[in-house]
Structure formats: C-alpha cells, structure tokens
Amino acid sequence: MTSTSVMPTFTFQDGPTIKRLGFGAMRLTGEGIWGEPKNPDEAKAVLRRVLELGINFIDTADSYGPDVSERLIGETLAPYPAGVVIATKGGMVRPGPNKWETNGRPEHLREALEGSLKRLKVETIDLYQFHRPDPNVPFEDSVGTIARMREEGKIRMVGLSNVSVEQLEKAQQIVPIVSVQNRFNLTDRSSDDVLEACEQKKIGFIPWAPIAANNLQQGVLNEIARRLNATPNQVALAWLLRRSPVMLPIPGTSSVQHLEENIQAADLQLSDDDVERLNSAQG
C-alpha cells in the first residue's frame, strides 16, 4: 500500500499543508448523486479508510445528496484529527436526481453555510467554495457574501469552482482566493488558462472529474498502464500530479477497494516520454 508520508504536498496561502491526492466525497450518495447510498456501511468504511491511508484533504458539497455527503462525513469522522482539511461548497440546489441549478443569492449562501456547519459538525469551514457562478445574481454579490462570512469567522479559506480567469481575478479583488475547482482531466483541458493563472498565483487547482478518460485514445493510456502494471485510472491520476505542482486531484469512489487503487497512483513514475505521449493523446 502507498505510504502517503512521501506523497507530494501543497500548502495553501497562509494556510495548512495537504497531501496532493485527496478524496472527493460526491459518490458517497445514491444514484444520480441523490439520496442515501445503497450501502451506508461501505460509505462510512470508505471515509474511515481515507484517514487510515493518510489522506488529509476531503472535498464535498451541500448539494451532494443533497446534504447526504456532508452528513456522512460529520457522523463518521468528526471530531476531525489535526491536520485534516474538510472542504465544501455552496451555491447549487438540487430539484432531483442528476439535476443541478445555480443559486448564488446572498440569503441562500448564508443558509447553505449554516447547514454545512451543522452537518459537518464544525464551527468553521476549513475551505468554503462558491460552487458555480449564478447568471441571475451579480458575481460580486455572491463572492462578497462569502467574504463577509469569512470575516465573521465561519470560513477559514475561500475557493471558487467552475470559474474563468476573469472571474478569478474579480473575486481576488474581494477576498483572498486559495483554490479553484474546475473540470480538468486527460480529455478535457479547457481550463488550461485557469490552471496557468493558479500556478502564477500559487493557488491550488482542484480538478473535478479527474479520471474521466473514456474518450481518450485508449491505446496510449492502456499501453502505459500495462507497462507500469497499473490501471488506466491510476495513470490518469499520475499524469495530473505531474501536470502541475498546484494540481490537487480528488478522485471519488464509494468502494474501499477503488479508494486503495486510486491512492497508489501517487507511486507511479511516469517517464517524460509517457507524459509527452499522454499530452498528445488528448481527444
């Protein structure tokens, strides 16, 4: 099993240091990211195993379930060991399975934060991320509300999700931003410009859907995986870790076995040739 004691780390601006391979808790819910998990005991076992493996960064959101993922984390892991960073998000609402709607109204964000505090069983959220800009609400109003809640001591660090470089720059004029969570993987690198901005500013970049490589030219990925005695998913994660020192992948699963497989990606040694071939295999 991988020893996370040698895993590369990242330090948030004026904040904690985390292992660069974290855990995304979205999949600890029912089908369609809706309702309770089919196997609640397995979901809790996954969370316990996360800490046993030395992973100290867990990402969730109030919309996962909704409320289910946060509640399971609070019930299973609180009080949290020293050094463990729990990140959550607000700004999305769920009318049904696989359905997502934005809600960046200040009053909703305040209500969402209070709910997250209760479910996670904390007085301060380590990292609170604005889940997605709401086209019906001025971006500055949403971010300004989160900034004020940080000033009130309810949030330690602020992050953004699903944003452009321009939106990142606007938010930075309102409150310090320590992370951005955008979709990024071997087959979707549309946020390359945002990643570059994060690198320049030493902001953590959290790629969601980090191992969505189904449309990749499978020949290259599978070939490298076979040679390294690894799975294609492990190679995809190892590529992300090599891609940038600010990259913080958070692969998610509802299976202890898959969790253990994912963490082993930190041990893979991709050659420069492997990386170049994967870079060229996009599409």
Side-chain angles (χ1 to χ4, degrees), residues 28-193:
L28 298 182
T29 61
E31 187 174 352
I33 321 302
W34 183 264
E36 300 294 329
K38 289 183 178 180
N39 189 336
D41 290 339
E42 177 74 1
K44 293 181 178 181
V46 167
L47 288 169
R48 289 190 290 267
R49 189 66 177 137
V50 164
L51 296 192
E52 291 172 356
L53 290 169
I55 300 169
N56 66 344
F57 182 61
I58 298 175
D59 177 87
T60 185
D62 68 337
S63 56
Y64 298 164
D67 304 342
V68 174
S69 177
E70 287 183 331
R71 195 196 73 243
L72 285 171
I73 292 170
E75 290 177 352
T76 307
L77 301 182
Y80 307 99
V84 172
V85 174
I86 306 295
T88 193
K89 296 179 284 291
M92 298 284 284
V93 293
R94 304 295 309 287
N98 289 317
K99 295 181 179 179
W100 307 77
E101 295 180 357
T102 56
N103 189 337
R105 293 182 297 110
E107 55 270 31
H108 171 75
L109 291 173
R110 281 197 169 273
E111 181 181 355
L113 175 71
E114 293 298 336
S116 293
L117 288 168
K118 292 177 181 177
R119 287 184 292 273
L120 291 170
K121 300 184 178 182
V122 293
E123 295 182 356
T124 302
I125 300 292
D126 292 328
L127 172 59
Y128 196 72
Q129 304 156 95
F130 183 31
H131 206 154
R132 184 181 291 273
D134 185 341
N136 297 314
V137 179
F139 182 69
E140 294 84 353
D141 289 358
S142 300
V143 176
T145 298
I146 294 174
R148 285 187 288 276
M149 293 190 294
R150 173 178 173 268
E151 293 171 356
E152 295 164 10
K154 296 178 179 181
I155 297 170
R156 182 178 182 185
M157 301 180 294
V158 176
L160 303 171
S161 185
N162 301 298
V163 294
S164 65
V165 172
E166 180 182 4
Q167 288 167 329
L168 171 59
E169 292 173 347
K170 283 184 179 180
Q172 285 182 298
Q173 297 173 8
I174 299 171
V175 64
I177 301 298
V178 306
S179 69
V180 170
Q181 185 169 163
N182 278 16
R183 181 180 172 91
F184 195 94
N185 52 56
L186 272 166
T187 58
D188 184 353
R189 309 175 202 178
S190 56
S191 283
D192 252 326
D193 59 338

Side-chain angles (χ1 to χ4, degrees), residues 247-268:
M247 187 78 76
L248 311 174
I250 50 167
T253 179
S254 58
S255 159
V256 171
Q257 177 184 348
H258 290 159
L259 170 67
E260 294 176 346
E261 289 178 358
N262 288 339
I263 199 69
Q264 292 176 38
D267 279 343
L268 284 188

Side-chain angles (χ1 to χ4, degrees), residues 231-259:
T231 68
N233 284 353
Q234 289 170 338
V235 174
L237 289 170
W239 175 80
L240 282 171
L241 290 171
R242 277 286 301 269
R243 177 65 180 78
S244 171
V246 304
M247 187 78 76
L248 311 174
I250 50 167
T253 179
S254 58
S255 159
V256 171
Q257 177 184 348
H258 290 159
L259 170 67

Side-chain angles (χ1 to χ4, degrees), residues 202-223:
K202 302 275 192 302
I203 291 172
F205 185 92
I206 306 169
W208 63 267
I211 51 180
N214 293 337
N215 297 322
L216 187 71
Q217 297 174 11
Q218 290 290 330
V220 174
L221 186 64
N222 289 338
E223 178 188 336

